[in-house]
Structure formats: structure tokens, C-alpha cells
Amino acid sequence: MAYDAVIIGSGFGGAFTALALVEAGLRVVLLERGEPVARDDDDWSPRRILLEGRYAGPSPIQVRQYGASSPSPLHPMQMLGGNSVLYGGASLRLRPTDMDHWPLDYADLEPHYSAAETHLTVHGVQGEDPHEPPRSADFTSPPVALTAPAQRIHRAASALGWRPFRLPMAINFSDPTRPRCILCNTCDGYPCRIEAKNDLTTTVLQAAVDAGLQIRAGAAVGEIEMMSGRARGVVGVDTTTGDEFRVTADRIIVAAGALGSPALLLRSGIDELSPGGDWIGRRLMRHCNAVLTGVFPFVTNPDQVFHKQVCLTDFYEDLRVELGTAVGTIQDIYTPSADVIKHFAPLGLRRVAGRLTQYMQNLLVVAEDDPQRDNRVSLTDERDLYGHRVARVDHDYSVADVRRRDYLIHRARRILRRAGAWITRLYEIDSFSHGMGTVGMGESPASSALDARCRVWGTEGLWVVDGSCFPTSAGVNPSLTIAANALRVAPSIALAD
Ligand SMILES: Cc1cc2nc3c(=O)[nH]c(=O)nc-3n(C[C@H](O)[C@H](O)[C@H](O)COP(=O)(O)OP(=O)(O)OC[C@H]3O[C@@H](n4cnc5c(N)ncnc54)[C@H](O)[C@@H]3O)c2cc1C
């Protein structure tokens, strides 16, 4: 079959672009190296998902981070729907001030934020977030009542004079025609066994398939084929048969995630062809995230209920003048099971950490990080089992990144203490769950890899539409912005010759 567009990757960037293009009447195929998740009991097993990496893909990335001198292999999760299947559903917008270094304004994104919130049925309440950006429409549905652990955080933060608000969430709390959330504690980090999380497979991809999208799962794309500066197609490997395949189309849309997209462009030699090619792979961001654990003199969540429900933006603008960035947000987050806590606790403290799990409650801090030129994705000479060159990541936080994180940690500690915690402990996050940058958009190829419509500078028929295109990371979770931006650029992709 002939296609008008090939999309690589089924996360927020790929799925939202796919929906917009099929609705515009284009014939579109989406290639995804992962397979649909099982939706069985193992999907709610902390051991299977968090420790054994049930969905870890076979292709490694060599990661050097936190000042280490050499890299270690990381196997990213892969599945149809991308990281949306595992994500926590927190759906926040950037603030107008976050977009100072973007080649567009908040007003350019605003209508698409509303559309994305509708597609994902985000449950939220307008007017509670003290730094809420302008909205043209209210949320489609109200949030559910705060559960007991979330109330504890809300009360403590309010008592300190701050303005906690209910976190907008893409989870089905209300639609009776679909499975509804049962408020269990296996949400963030897990596939939803009952499909109550509004991940992309239960929402946008389903709508796109109904409108004519073809999905090919188990398709690992190795290279983009270019001819005279124009993208013509892609070559990849069927992960089940091992056979090579080739798909041609006039529009090639890369949405393989902040680590996968630059790797694919570099494997295809796009850095040599594009005047902005030196920026491909650079300015990797992932937020300076950390979890602060409080240990309480009582069992914090005896009924094991869901409680990713409270957020604070009170400190968002505190360091803007000094550092030129947001500080970030503090969010309520669940406590993993005793097995998981034990596994990640320092040697010697494992047994006690396991016993203390039921007395713990956590806060997540999401701090903006700098787009540093030398934090980057490049290629090694190693090949994966499909014969594709393996990517390497080099990442170190700046002094300012750690400062923003610690600014939030200090306030998160006060909240946990006020809520009754006796002691607190900081855990750094070493995943790339909030990966961004690496193929950033900008005003010119002298300073960016993509133009303002996410087209690779100096090429025809080639776009990058996932979290890679962010010029800065802002201080909020990225998925809703990836979705809104994909809806923003899709019409220009549809109209391109
Ligand atoms: C545990 C967890 C919790 C999170 N919670 C939140 C949250 O609450 N709120 C929020 O906003 N964000 C959250 N995030 C982050 C969010 O999920 C990501 O920012 C978002 O999914 C990124 O979307 P994307 O389109 O950039 O890429 P991805 O979701 O990474 O999708 C890229 C896809 O491309 C595929 N791919 C890669 N290479 C190839 C190739 N060569 N060929 C074919 N396919 C390929 C991958 O398998 C993947 O499916 C969370 C992430 C994790 C892991």
C-alpha cells in the first residue's frame, strides 16, 4: 500500500500526529518497535514491572551519568503507546514564561492544549493552581476527591501557607462506558491492567485506528532513506521474523523519543545533510527530578490507595530572574512496595528499609534543568541484535540544576515534616523518563536542529515531533506539551508538498 506519511514511534508525539494526519485524510502508517502490553496480572506486579523489567527492550543504550567515567547499559522499556502506558497521567501545561527560548508563544500552543486535554479526558479544576497559565476552556471533567494520603499532604502544605492544588490527571475516573479507575496503588510506572489509565492505546491511537491509521508493531526502524535532501522512506527490521522491511512515503515523521529520535537521525547521516546537524543529539534534558521519602510514626497508606493527586507550583517563578528558568513543581507520589524499596536501598539498610516501607510517604520534585550542549546522545560502534548502531548518552547535571532541585527538596521536606514525618531521605532519579531536547527547535540552524514547525533544517519531508523538539524543559511533566505541540505542527505536515 502507498502511504502519504510514515510515523516512527507511538508515544505522545507519534500518536497525536497520527490522529491529526488521518483526520486530515492522509494515508498513514505508524511503526513501533514494541508490542501491545499484556494487560494481565503481571502488569500489576512490582517485581515483574519495576525489578525484572518485563517490557525492557533488547536494544541497549550506553549511559554515562552522575559524573561516572564510563557508561553502563540501559534497556529502555518499549511497547505500543510508548511511555504513556507507564506514565502517571499528570497533565500540566507550560507557563508563558517557560517559552522565552521557544520559537513560539504560549498563545500558539493554547488551543492545542485544550484539544489534547479533551482527547485524554484530563480531570482537573480550573483556578486552583496559583501559577495557572491562561486557559480558553475548562477541564472536561472534575478531579476525584483526595484520598487520605493526598489529604495529608494537602493539609500540611496549606498549613505552611502554600497553595496546593489538585493535579490534573489523564485517568478515567468518570466515563461509565469505559473501565473506571479503582484507585489502586499500581499506577505510575505500571501498565493499567484494566485500561482505566487514559494512555494512548486506550484513547488517541484507538481513535486514529478508527479513522484509518495503520499500525505496525514489532517494527524497529534502523534508518531514514534520503535522496537529494528529501526523505523518501525508512528501512527497518521486523522484530518477530528478523526480516528487513522498507516503507516509502513523502512525509517521514520521527517520534522515537528523546533518546531514540536523535539516534535514528544520526544513524541516517542527517547530521551531515542538515545545516543544523551539529545540534542533533545535543541539549539532552530530563528534569532534575528526585524523590523525598518521609518516615512517619504511623502506617501512611493502610488501604493502599492511589494518591498522585496534589501538586504545588508556589515556588515556580522564585529563581526566574536569577537563573532564567522555572524552579519546578512538587508532586504527591506513591510509595513502591517493600520488595522494590529493599532492592534500591543502600546495602546494609535493605532489611530495615523493607520493614519501614509501610511508614513511608513520598514527594516527587520536578526541577527544570539546563539545555547543556555536552549532555548528548551519540552513536557507538556497537550493534544491537537488529544490526543497528547502539546509542550512547552522556549526561551530567549543572550546578544550577542541583540548586533548583534542592530549593524544592527543602520545601518538600518542610511539607513532610509538617505532615508528621520523623526523618526524610533523598533519592536521585537516574531514569530518562522525562527525556527532552536532543533535536530542539529554534529560530535558525545556527542554534537548533528543527525549525519552528519541527521540520529538520535544510531537508524536505522530515519532521521530529516528540519530546526531542523541546528547546527547554520547563518545570512541569512533559507529555501534555508534546501532545499539544504535535497537534500544532500536524496541519503544516499535512499540507507540505
Ligand atoms: C514511569 C513514568 C511516569 C511518567 N509520568 C508522567 C506524568 O505523570 N506526566 C507526564 O507528563 N509525563 C510523565 N512521564 C513522561 C512521559 O511518559 C514522556 O514524556 C512521554 O511519554 C514521551 O513521549 P514521546 O512521544 O516523546 O516518546 P515515547 O513515549 O518515548 O515514545 C517513543 C516510542 O518510539 C519507539 N521507538 C524508539 N525507537 C524506535 C525505532 N527505531 N523504531 C520504532 N520505534 C521506535 C519507542 O519504543 C517508543 O514507544 C512518565 C514517564 C515514565 C516512564
Side-chain angles (χ1 to χ4, degrees):
M1 175 167 174
Y3 295 106
D4 300 310
V6 178
I7 298 176
I8 303 123
S10 61
F12 281 92
F16 272 88
T17 307
L19 179 63
L21 295 187
V22 287
E23 285 184 341
L26 272 66
R27 294 161 302 174
V28 184
V29 62
L30 186 151
L31 306 175
E32 165 58 55
R33 64 184 176 181
E35 300 281 351
V37 291
R39 311 267 184 205
D40 60 13
D41 288 346
D42 275 2
D43 279 350
W44 277 351
S45 156
R47 172 160 293 283
R48 289 288 285 124
I49 297 297
L50 300 182
L51 299 183
E52 293 170 10
R54 180 179 199 191
Y55 294 108
S59 301
I61 293 179
Q62 297 294 346
V63 178
R64 191 204 57 74
Q65 57 179 333
Y66 285 112
S69 53
S70 56
S72 318
L74 166 92
H75 286 262
M77 302 294 144
Q78 61 180 50
M79 58 198 60
L80 185 63
N83 281 312
S84 81
V85 174
L86 303 174
Y87 90 142
S91 303
L92 290 163
R93 299 176 174 208
L94 298 192
R95 321 287 135 146
T97 40
D98 288 326
M99 302 191 65
D100 285 352
H101 301 287
W102 289 49
L104 58 144
D105 294 325
Y106 177 79
D108 300 318
L109 268 188
E110 200 288 330
H112 308 293
Y113 270 129
S114 291
E117 286 171 353
T118 303
H119 284 300
L120 295 165
T121 322
V122 177
H123 289 59
V125 60
Q126 188 169 345
E128 275 191 5
D129 174 353
H131 284 286
E132 185 169 62
R135 304 178 55 91
S136 56
D138 200 349
F139 292 96
T140 38
S141 309
V144 281
L146 298 184
T147 57
Q151 284 178 27
R152 181 177 303 125
I153 297 301
H154 196 281
R155 264 197 313 272
S158 304
L160 289 165
W162 296 328
R163 292 158 293 175
F165 64 95
R166 284 171 286 174
L167 188 57
M169 295 296 284
I171 290 180
N172 184 30
F173 295 117
S174 56
D175 179 357
T177 65
R178 283 193 38 222
R180 271 184 285 190
C181 176
I182 56 169
L183 296 177
C184 74
N185 208 16
T186 37
C187 186
D188 197 340
Y190 299 83
C192 182
R193 162 104 177 77
I194 59 168
E195 296 187 287
K197 194 189 288 187
N198 294 346
D199 69 37
L200 296 164
T201 65
T202 63
T203 56
V204 177
L205 286 173
Q206 189 55 55
V209 167
D210 292 346
L213 174 69
Q214 304 269 314
I215 294 181
R216 182 165 174 182
V221 176
E223 231 177 87
I224 299 158
E225 293 187 311
M226 302 292 293
M227 208 184 289
S228 311
R230 183 169 191 112
R232 294 288 179 194
V234 299
V235 188
V237 171
D238 182 310
T239 60
T240 311
T241 62
D243 294 340
E244 188 177 274
F245 67 82
R246 174 173 273 104
V247 185
T248 55
D250 291 337
R251 298 168 187 80
I252 308 297
I253 297 133
V254 178
L259 306 185
S261 289
L264 178 55
L265 295 175
L266 292 171
R267 286 202 301 264
S268 312
I270 310 294
D271 53 323
E272 303 284 329
L273 297 176
S274 167
D278 185 44
W279 291 109
I280 294 173
R282 294 189 181 274
R283 296 185 187 139
L284 169 64
M285 295 166 282
R286 54 164 160 172
H287 286 142
C288 195
N289 291 344
V291 168
L292 189 70
T293 296
V295 181
F296 291 73
F298 50 84
V299 176
T300 56
N301 189 7
D303 301 324
Q304 285 298 295
V305 287
F306 169 84
H307 61 91
K308 182 165 172 151
Q309 290 182 294
V310 178
C311 183
L312 283 96
T313 55
D314 293 77
F315 327 106
Y316 203 78
E317 298 294 342
D318 285 8
L319 301 178
R320 179 80 65 186
V321 173
E322 194 185 337
L323 299 178
T325 63
V327 181
T329 52
I330 299 177
Q331 296 170 21
D332 183 21
I333 194 169
Y334 81 112
T335 305
S337 69
D339 268 4
V340 178
I341 296 278
K342 261 168 36 192
H343 181 89
F344 290 107
L347 218 64
L349 286 179
R350 290 197 171 152
R351 190 181 301 186
V352 70
R355 288 217 185 107
L356 285 178
T357 304
Q358 57 181 327
Y359 302 102
M360 292 177 182
Q361 183 158 352
N362 293 335
L363 286 174
L364 169 71
V365 308
V366 176
E368 178 157 0
D369 56 339
D370 291 322
Q372 301 182 76
R373 190 181 150 82
D374 290 339
N375 281 344
R376 66 183 297 201
V377 177
S378 56
L379 294 180
T380 65
D381 292 331
E382 188 188 343
R383 304 241 165 205
D384 68 12
L385 78 168
Y386 310 122
H388 303 152
R389 278 178 74 188
V390 166
R392 171 179 170 128
V393 166
D394 286 277
H395 185 278
D396 289 297
Y397 284 116
S398 69
V399 172
D401 295 341
V402 176
R403 169 123 184 266
R404 284 180 286 260
R405 182 199 71 183
D406 289 350
Y407 192 89
L408 293 171
I409 286 291
H410 175 66
R411 283 145 185 87
R413 184 171 290 119
R414 287 186 62 194
I415 296 171
L416 290 176
R417 283 269 166 83
R418 185 66 176 231
W422 280 357
I423 48 170
T424 58
R425 189 184 158 84
L426 173 79
Y427 292 92
E428 290 173 332
I429 294 183
D430 63 1
S431 78
F432 287 85
S433 58
H434 285 192
M436 290 162 281
T438 66
V439 197
M441 56 178 151
E443 303 284 359
S444 94
S447 58
S448 61
L450 306 175
D451 70 15
R453 299 262 162 209
C454 290
R455 192 174 54 92
V456 177
W457 288 112
T459 65
E460 296 295 330
L462 184 60
W463 293 264
V464 180
V465 296
D466 54 25
S468 317
C469 73
F470 283 28
T472 60
S473 69
V476 297
N477 324 46
S479 65
L480 194 69
T481 303
I482 302 172
N485 183 60
L487 292 177
R488 178 185 73 88
V489 299
S492 60
I493 299 176
L495 289 174
D497 293 332

